[in-house]
mmCIF file of all heavy atoms in Angstrom:
data_model
loop_
_atom_site.group_PDB
_atom_site.id
_atom_site.type_symbol
_atom_site.label_atom_id
_atom_site.label_comp_id
_atom_site.label_asym_id
_atom_site.label_seq_id
_atom_site.Cartn_x
_atom_site.Cartn_y
_atom_site.Cartn_z
ATOM 1 N N TYR A 32 5.414 11.400 25.187
ATOM 2 C CA TYR A 32 4.702 10.861 24.031
ATOM 3 C C TYR A 32 4.876 9.347 23.873
ATOM 4 O O TYR A 32 4.259 8.733 23.017
ATOM 5 C CB TYR A 32 5.074 11.621 22.746
ATOM 6 C CG TYR A 32 6.470 11.421 22.232
ATOM 7 C CD1 TYR A 32 6.768 10.341 21.411
ATOM 8 C CD2 TYR A 32 7.476 12.325 22.538
ATOM 9 C CE1 TYR A 32 8.048 10.161 20.921
ATOM 10 C CE2 TYR A 32 8.754 12.149 22.062
ATOM 11 C CZ TYR A 32 9.024 11.067 21.260
ATOM 12 O OH TYR A 32 10.297 10.894 20.787
ATOM 13 N N VAL A 33 5.719 8.748 24.715
ATOM 14 C CA VAL A 33 5.839 7.284 24.699
ATOM 15 C C VAL A 33 5.083 6.718 25.898
ATOM 16 O O VAL A 33 5.464 6.963 27.036
ATOM 17 C CB VAL A 33 7.307 6.826 24.763
ATOM 18 C CG1 VAL A 33 7.392 5.307 24.737
ATOM 19 C CG2 VAL A 33 8.102 7.422 23.619
ATOM 20 N N PRO A 34 4.010 5.944 25.661
ATOM 21 C CA PRO A 34 3.292 5.365 26.790
ATOM 22 C C PRO A 34 4.171 4.354 27.531
ATOM 23 O O PRO A 34 4.905 3.595 26.891
ATOM 24 C CB PRO A 34 2.093 4.668 26.136
ATOM 25 C CG PRO A 34 2.472 4.477 24.698
ATOM 26 C CD PRO A 34 3.452 5.562 24.362
ATOM 27 N N GLU A 35 4.120 4.373 28.841
ATOM 28 C CA GLU A 35 4.861 3.406 29.681
ATOM 29 C C GLU A 35 6.365 3.431 29.395
ATOM 30 O O GLU A 35 7.037 2.398 29.403
ATOM 31 C CB GLU A 35 4.323 1.980 29.472
ATOM 32 C CG GLU A 35 2.868 1.817 29.830
ATOM 33 C CD GLU A 35 2.339 0.432 29.464
ATOM 34 O OE1 GLU A 35 3.061 -0.553 29.629
ATOM 35 O OE2 GLU A 35 1.191 0.365 28.990
ATOM 36 N N TYR A 36 6.885 4.641 29.135
ATOM 37 C CA TYR A 36 8.314 4.803 28.791
ATOM 38 C C TYR A 36 9.224 4.148 29.824
ATOM 39 O O TYR A 36 10.130 3.383 29.481
ATOM 40 C CB TYR A 36 8.609 6.303 28.677
ATOM 41 C CG TYR A 36 10.062 6.659 28.543
ATOM 42 C CD1 TYR A 36 10.681 6.661 27.300
ATOM 43 C CD2 TYR A 36 10.820 7.016 29.660
ATOM 44 C CE1 TYR A 36 12.024 6.991 27.176
ATOM 45 C CE2 TYR A 36 12.160 7.342 29.536
ATOM 46 C CZ TYR A 36 12.753 7.329 28.301
ATOM 47 O OH TYR A 36 14.079 7.658 28.174
ATOM 48 N N ASP A 37 8.961 4.454 31.087
ATOM 49 C CA ASP A 37 9.863 3.962 32.136
ATOM 50 C C ASP A 37 9.838 2.429 32.188
ATOM 51 O O ASP A 37 10.889 1.782 32.280
ATOM 52 C CB ASP A 37 9.436 4.567 33.478
ATOM 53 C CG ASP A 37 10.481 4.328 34.539
ATOM 54 O OD1 ASP A 37 11.634 4.718 34.316
ATOM 55 O OD2 ASP A 37 10.161 3.703 35.560
ATOM 56 N N ALA A 38 8.653 1.849 32.109
ATOM 57 C CA ALA A 38 8.539 0.376 32.144
ATOM 58 C C ALA A 38 9.264 -0.236 30.954
ATOM 59 O O ALA A 38 9.981 -1.241 31.093
ATOM 60 C CB ALA A 38 7.066 -0.023 32.130
ATOM 61 N N ALA A 39 9.104 0.369 29.784
ATOM 62 C CA ALA A 39 9.720 -0.189 28.566
ATOM 63 C C ALA A 39 11.245 -0.181 28.689
ATOM 64 O O ALA A 39 11.919 -1.173 28.378
ATOM 65 C CB ALA A 39 9.274 0.606 27.348
ATOM 66 N N LEU A 40 11.806 0.946 29.159
ATOM 67 C CA LEU A 40 13.274 1.007 29.245
ATOM 68 C C LEU A 40 13.810 0.110 30.352
ATOM 69 O O LEU A 40 14.921 -0.430 30.243
ATOM 70 C CB LEU A 40 13.735 2.457 29.440
ATOM 71 C CG LEU A 40 13.666 3.371 28.215
ATOM 72 C CD1 LEU A 40 14.896 4.254 28.133
ATOM 73 C CD2 LEU A 40 13.480 2.668 26.895
ATOM 74 N N THR A 41 13.014 -0.091 31.402
ATOM 75 C CA THR A 41 13.419 -1.034 32.453
ATOM 76 C C THR A 41 13.491 -2.450 31.867
ATOM 77 O O THR A 41 14.447 -3.195 32.124
ATOM 78 C CB THR A 41 12.425 -0.977 33.636
ATOM 79 O OG1 THR A 41 12.430 0.364 34.137
ATOM 80 C CG2 THR A 41 12.825 -1.925 34.748
ATOM 81 N N VAL A 42 12.508 -2.810 31.067
ATOM 82 C CA VAL A 42 12.522 -4.132 30.416
ATOM 83 C C VAL A 42 13.765 -4.256 29.535
ATOM 84 O O VAL A 42 14.467 -5.279 29.560
ATOM 85 C CB VAL A 42 11.238 -4.324 29.563
ATOM 86 C CG1 VAL A 42 11.375 -5.525 28.628
ATOM 87 C CG2 VAL A 42 10.025 -4.504 30.471
ATOM 88 N N LEU A 43 14.059 -3.209 28.767
ATOM 89 C CA LEU A 43 15.228 -3.241 27.858
ATOM 90 C C LEU A 43 16.528 -3.497 28.641
ATOM 91 O O LEU A 43 17.313 -4.378 28.314
ATOM 92 C CB LEU A 43 15.304 -1.918 27.093
ATOM 93 C CG LEU A 43 16.353 -1.758 25.991
ATOM 94 C CD1 LEU A 43 16.051 -0.516 25.150
ATOM 95 C CD2 LEU A 43 17.785 -1.686 26.474
ATOM 96 N N VAL A 44 16.727 -2.706 29.693
ATOM 97 C CA VAL A 44 18.007 -2.796 30.420
ATOM 98 C C VAL A 44 18.101 -4.123 31.179
ATOM 99 O O VAL A 44 19.157 -4.765 31.223
ATOM 100 C CB VAL A 44 18.185 -1.567 31.338
ATOM 101 C CG1 VAL A 44 19.441 -1.688 32.169
ATOM 102 C CG2 VAL A 44 18.253 -0.285 30.496
ATOM 103 N N ASN A 45 16.948 -4.590 31.739
ATOM 104 C CA ASN A 45 16.966 -5.866 32.468
ATOM 105 C C ASN A 45 17.232 -7.050 31.548
ATOM 106 O O ASN A 45 17.610 -8.129 32.013
ATOM 107 C CB ASN A 45 15.642 -6.090 33.198
ATOM 108 C CG ASN A 45 15.551 -5.253 34.454
ATOM 109 O OD1 ASN A 45 16.552 -4.688 34.902
ATOM 110 N ND2 ASN A 45 14.361 -5.149 35.024
ATOM 111 N N ALA A 46 17.037 -6.857 30.246
ATOM 112 C CA ALA A 46 17.244 -7.962 29.296
ATOM 113 C C ALA A 46 18.714 -8.335 29.158
ATOM 114 O O ALA A 46 19.034 -9.417 28.674
ATOM 115 C CB ALA A 46 16.674 -7.590 27.939
ATOM 116 N N PHE A 47 19.613 -7.446 29.571
ATOM 117 C CA PHE A 47 21.023 -7.810 29.373
ATOM 118 C C PHE A 47 21.932 -7.519 30.570
ATOM 119 O O PHE A 47 22.936 -8.197 30.760
ATOM 120 C CB PHE A 47 21.617 -7.115 28.126
ATOM 121 C CG PHE A 47 21.883 -5.664 28.339
ATOM 122 C CD1 PHE A 47 23.133 -5.242 28.798
ATOM 123 C CD2 PHE A 47 20.905 -4.724 28.138
ATOM 124 C CE1 PHE A 47 23.382 -3.908 29.041
ATOM 125 C CE2 PHE A 47 21.144 -3.387 28.379
ATOM 126 C CZ PHE A 47 22.383 -2.973 28.823
ATOM 127 N N TRP A 48 21.593 -6.523 31.412
ATOM 128 C CA TRP A 48 22.630 -6.089 32.362
ATOM 129 C C TRP A 48 23.036 -7.163 33.376
ATOM 130 O O TRP A 48 24.235 -7.256 33.700
ATOM 131 C CB TRP A 48 22.277 -4.762 33.040
ATOM 132 C CG TRP A 48 21.374 -4.832 34.235
ATOM 133 C CD1 TRP A 48 20.027 -4.618 34.254
ATOM 134 C CD2 TRP A 48 21.750 -5.111 35.583
ATOM 135 N NE1 TRP A 48 19.535 -4.770 35.508
ATOM 136 C CE2 TRP A 48 20.570 -5.065 36.354
ATOM 137 C CE3 TRP A 48 22.953 -5.395 36.224
ATOM 138 C CZ2 TRP A 48 20.558 -5.311 37.715
ATOM 139 C CZ3 TRP A 48 22.950 -5.636 37.602
ATOM 140 C CH2 TRP A 48 21.764 -5.592 38.326
ATOM 141 N N PRO A 49 22.114 -8.050 33.826
ATOM 142 C CA PRO A 49 22.597 -9.054 34.784
ATOM 143 C C PRO A 49 23.510 -10.102 34.139
ATOM 144 O O PRO A 49 24.153 -10.863 34.852
ATOM 145 C CB PRO A 49 21.306 -9.726 35.281
ATOM 146 C CG PRO A 49 20.188 -8.811 34.873
ATOM 147 C CD PRO A 49 20.660 -8.147 33.623
ATOM 148 N N TYR A 50 23.582 -10.136 32.816
ATOM 149 C CA TYR A 50 24.280 -11.229 32.124
ATOM 150 C C TYR A 50 25.598 -10.810 31.479
ATOM 151 O O TYR A 50 26.196 -11.574 30.743
ATOM 152 C CB TYR A 50 23.344 -11.838 31.062
ATOM 153 C CG TYR A 50 21.963 -12.056 31.596
ATOM 154 C CD1 TYR A 50 20.887 -11.304 31.142
ATOM 155 C CD2 TYR A 50 21.732 -12.983 32.620
ATOM 156 C CE1 TYR A 50 19.619 -11.473 31.674
ATOM 157 C CE2 TYR A 50 20.471 -13.158 33.150
ATOM 158 C CZ TYR A 50 19.414 -12.404 32.671
ATOM 159 O OH TYR A 50 18.165 -12.557 33.210
ATOM 160 N N VAL A 51 26.006 -9.561 31.713
ATOM 161 C CA VAL A 51 27.280 -9.106 31.132
ATOM 162 C C VAL A 51 28.253 -8.800 32.272
ATOM 163 O O VAL A 51 27.830 -8.610 33.426
ATOM 164 C CB VAL A 51 27.088 -7.856 30.229
ATOM 165 C CG1 VAL A 51 26.201 -8.178 29.032
ATOM 166 C CG2 VAL A 51 26.535 -6.680 31.023
#
Side-chain angles (χ1 to χ4, degrees):
Y32 69 85
V33 180
E35 300 174 39
Y36 171 85
D37 192 56
L40 285 221
T41 300
V42 167
L43 186 167
V44 176
N45 283 347
F47 74 91
W48 83 262
Y50 315 111
V51 297

